[in-house]
Amino acid sequence: MRAEDVAAVVVAVVVPVLTATVAVFAVAWQDRQASRSQTGRRQRAFEDATRQVDFAVLWWDARQRLPGNQEELANASRVAQRWLDQAGALVVAAGPGTVDPPRRLSPTRLLLLYPFRYTAAKFIRASFLAALGIMAVTSVGVLSVALSTGTGADFGWSLTWLLLFALIALSLRFWAVSADAVRQP
């Protein structure tokens, strides 16, 4: 086997492996971003609520020091209570107090073999799986061309198609995940 043939076989094998590696890193990055986003929202909600409570306490203290009758003090008490309730609602709306444990990377998650809720996401997932199938068949074709004829125009076109379907598969995967997550509460 010539060096060109070895290089052609190596390239034909590396493209699907590289695509899978990129998918694994991209899923891990998506998980990290989702975790940071959830943590950031909760932290901002706590900071806003803390500022609101601090203001309500200072305002209530100042209001008590001012001269006035019991009715004005009762109205001020209701206002302060409403501000405290709003601060509590901010924290409750931010979500649960603990961050969900990170999900494991598994073939089920990478290949989107878990149940989807929405029809559009299911259709995109089916397209993703079809693109993976075409990519697998194209990989075999690239290996066949590389082993039988070596490098040449046929090999170049086969490799181009393989790269194209790898990019399409990755794009469809991310689109399917985002289409299913868009409508989640």
Side-chain angles (χ1 to χ4, degrees):
M1 207 177 211
R2 297 179 320 191
E4 296 165 343
D5 296 339
V6 171
V9 170
V10 167
V11 167
V13 171
V14 165
V15 169
V17 170
L18 185 62
T19 303
T21 304
V22 167
V24 167
F25 283 116
V27 169
W29 182 76
Q30 280 180 330
D31 289 348
R32 181 176 175 265
Q33 290 300 102
S35 173
R36 288 181 66 196
S37 161
Q38 179 184 5
T39 303
R41 278 194 310 271
R42 184 143 177 87
Q43 183 177 7
R44 282 190 304 277
F46 266 102
E47 288 170 358
D48 289 346
T50 300
R51 282 192 295 269
Q52 196 164 349
V53 167
D54 289 344
F55 175 77
V57 167
L58 290 173
W59 183 83
W60 175 247
D61 287 342
R63 187 65 186 111
Q64 283 181 327
R65 293 171 195 233
L66 292 174
N69 61 21
Q70 289 298 331
E71 185 179 327
E72 289 175 348
L73 200 56
N75 286 338
S77 174
R78 283 191 289 273
V79 169
Q81 184 62 45
R82 189 173 7 150
W83 288 343
L84 293 174
D85 291 343
Q86 288 172 353
L90 279 174
V91 172
V92 169
T98 59
V99 176
D100 295 334
R103 299 186 315 182
R104 265 183 0 138
L105 285 177
S106 66
T108 302
R109 280 193 59 216
L110 288 174
L111 296 175
L112 304 179
L113 298 177
Y114 53 88
F116 276 28
R117 294 182 203 161
Y118 303 104
T119 305
K122 290 176 185 177
F123 177 75
I124 298 168
R125 176 181 53 189
S127 301
F128 161 71
L129 293 173
L132 279 184
I134 293 170
M135 195 173 111
V137 169
T138 306
S139 295
V140 171
V142 168
L143 282 173
S144 171
V145 167
L147 292 175
S148 65
T149 62
T151 58
D154 289 340
F155 176 75
W157 279 109
S158 298
L159 189 60
T160 301
W161 282 110
L162 180 61
L163 289 171
L164 177 69
F165 281 110
L167 289 173
I168 289 171
L170 279 174
S171 300
L172 287 171
R173 189 203 179 284
F174 297 129
W175 188 20
V177 170
S178 66
D180 196 51
V182 150
R183 297 186 183 135
Q184 290 181 356

